Amino acid sequence: MIREIIVPTQNTYLLHLPDSLIGKNVEVIAFSNDDISNEETPATKTNKRTVEQAIAFYKKNAVDFSKIEKWNREDLYE
């Protein structure tokens, strides 16, 4: 693995790969460290909700079982 941090002076960069990487799949990624520190990564992003929001969600999406007609096992064979 090669990891190199550079400060480019031009918009082109020549990369010399070692012989051990010839014939293998190689991924080259270029990004600025400033971009990474400003963005929220999924690991640091938290979606915390309050208890009131959770209760409101469950009340909104709850199923009212009292309106479901009662049945017994014999009703299945009729």
Side-chain angles (χ1 to χ4, degrees), residues 22-47:
I22 294 175
K24 295 181 179 180
N25 290 331
V26 176
E27 179 178 1
V28 178
I29 301 173
F31 55 87
S32 169
N33 286 344
D34 297 334
D35 294 340
I36 292 175
S37 63
N38 292 337
E39 293 179 5
E40 250 186 65
T41 59
T44 61
K45 186 187 285 188
T46 57
N47 291 330

Side-chain angles (χ1 to χ4, degrees), residues 1 3 8 12 18 21 25 29 33 39 46 54 56-57 64 67 69 76-78:
M1 182 176 125
R3 182 175 185 178
T12 58
L21 293 178
N25 290 331
I29 301 173
N33 286 344
E39 293 179 5
T46 57
F57 172 81
D64 184 11
K67 295 179 182 177
E69 183 179 331
L76 292 174
Y77 301 110
E78 291 183 0

Side-chain angles (χ1 to χ4, degrees), residues 41-72:
T41 59
T44 61
K45 186 187 285 188
T46 57
N47 291 330
K48 292 190 176 186
R49 293 185 172 85
T50 63
V51 173
E52 291 81 16
Q53 289 174 323
I55 291 171
F57 172 81
Y58 286 113
K59 283 184 179 180
K60 177 184 169 194
N61 297 304
V63 176
D64 184 11
F65 288 105
S66 66
K67 295 179 182 177
I68 296 177
E69 183 179 331
K70 304 284 187 224
W71 56 274
N72 57 33

